[in-house]
Amino acid sequence: MSDGGIAVITSRYAVDGMACAHCVGFLTDEIERINGVRDVTVDVRGGTVIVTSERQLDPDEVRDAVEDAGYEVSRN
């Protein structure tokens, strides 16, 4: 996918432990710190986080950010 000449990659992660709007803020803040991340969409009810980035992200890098926010990436 491309956005104005810049390639973008969308990745979906299952995240455990989210329950409220505060979760959205904590997760978004941590994941947005990763170099190349352009957008983060958190679906609390669905237990998913969608990350749009300018490069392929290392899953461990995303997992670390999720854990820093106090949550866990599901192993599913």
Side-chain angles (χ1 to χ4, degrees):
M1 180 190 282
S2 178
D3 180 21
I6 299 172
V8 292
I9 299 168
T10 302
S11 304
R12 180 183 306 263
Y13 302 89
V15 176
D16 292 329
M18 299 185 297
C20 64
H22 292 287
C23 301
V24 173
F26 293 139
L27 281 165
T28 299
D29 289 347
E30 287 297 329
I31 295 171
E32 283 181 340
R33 293 180 184 180
I34 299 171
N35 184 36
V37 169
R38 296 186 61 172
D39 186 55
V40 178
T41 303
V42 179
D43 178 359
V44 173
R45 285 187 177 196
T48 60
V49 175
I50 299 170
V51 181
T52 303
S53 59
E54 297 174 356
R55 64 178 178 86
Q56 184 67 44
L57 300 177
D58 180 341
D60 289 334
E61 192 174 20
V62 176
R63 184 176 10 266
D64 289 346
V66 169
E67 290 175 356
D68 286 348
Y71 308 93
E72 292 185 25
V73 174
S74 297
R75 303 294 180 203
N76 298 340

